[in-house]
Amino acid sequence: MAANRNLKQVRIENSSPAAPLGMVGGGGGGSSNLKGLRGLETESEAAAAMALVPSKEGGDEEQEVGFTIDIKSFLKPGEKSYTQRCRLFVGNLPTDITEEDFKRLFERYGEPSEVFINRDRGFGFIRLESRTLAEIAKAELDGTILKSRPLRIRFATHGAALTVKNLSPVVSNELLEQAFSQFGPVERAVVVVDDRGRATGKGFVEFAAKPPARKALERCSDGAFLLTTTPRPVVVEPMEQFDDEDGLPEKLMQKTQQYHKEREQPPRFAQPGTFEFEYASRWKALDEMEKQQREQVDRNIREAKEKLEAEMEAARHEHQLMLMRQDLMRRQEELRRLEELRNQELQKRKQIQMRHEEEHRRREEEMMRQREQEELRRQQEGGFKPNFMDNHLLGWPDFVTL
């Protein structure tokens, strides 16, 4: 079991509605049991995560039925385990709680990878395997009384998340993750889209640790980080953290003097002609002016971006033309150099040919001189006795003899 904790199974027996994981076994196990699994979006997801098994076999006694949950089923396709999104903040802990007691509180939600407790200040952190398991644990344990203290459980702030702006419409989640992975391990990268699935030009990247997030922030702030062919650098900022799930419940409100003063009047519409209506109208006018100014600023920014894109496109064409001219000049220079090399090669060949011809002429002349000398030597050795051929060569008549 310890060797393969990711496949650990948690078996839930019949229990009261307050049982962990919100599931109740027993007869009738229809869709109502599936709806009890909070944190899953649909009943089909809950059904895929549960297998109905009998807890007892044989006998005439009534059989109890429970659910066996494979924790691996709570990981969505492509989801990474033990990420920052699975980290829970647990507040209002007893000061004498031990680490074992803290882990035992979450043991039915799988094996945690991180446990931290600050006993002096009464809070701790724990990281579970998947976001769904963390949501289930939060829903089940938030408000649970532990040693006369109601636990306060929220998702921990993600300290290694960055907001990425000025994204091109062709940037996807995968490209965004690939681009920022050069700074360190990325847990999640998402391009934000509107209700029609169109890119909004914004996204966020969640790193596994703070050092790579700081590195990415510094590098992108100092330089121009481009994700596509267009020289459109992304703008990287620390991600603002909001809690849009739990918000601010009444039980967490601090009952100060200002609180009681503002709560003296119930929600209402201001009546025309009253003091409330006058200043409420002024507040609305101020809000309308802010809205108009923001719209004007947005229009100015949009026009400036369109102008910059047009200038960038014109500059791109000019740059391409300049590169083409430079390439043409380079090719012409290369052709000229090749022509010079060819002429030099032809000149060398011509000189070699002339040397060969001169050498051949000298050899022929040398051979002729040698033959003449040989002939003269033979004549001197044998006496001067011209024959018919000699007379013919000397131009004498054939009948003349010496």
Side-chain angles (χ1 to χ4, degrees), residues 4 7 37 71 114 125 152 221 265 299 305 343 360:
N4 193 7
L7 300 181
L37 186 59
I71 290 180
E114 174 193 356
F125 293 96
R152 299 289 181 256
S221 298
Q265 295 289 339
R299 283 194 297 270
K305 287 183 176 180
N343 293 335
H360 181 69

Side-chain angles (χ1 to χ4, degrees), residues 249-260 263:
E250 183 69 24
K251 62 183 179 180
L252 298 181
M253 290 291 298
Q254 296 182 1
K255 307 304 188 292
T256 63
Q257 183 178 358
Q258 180 70 17
Y259 169 87
H260 291 290
R263 290 297 186 92

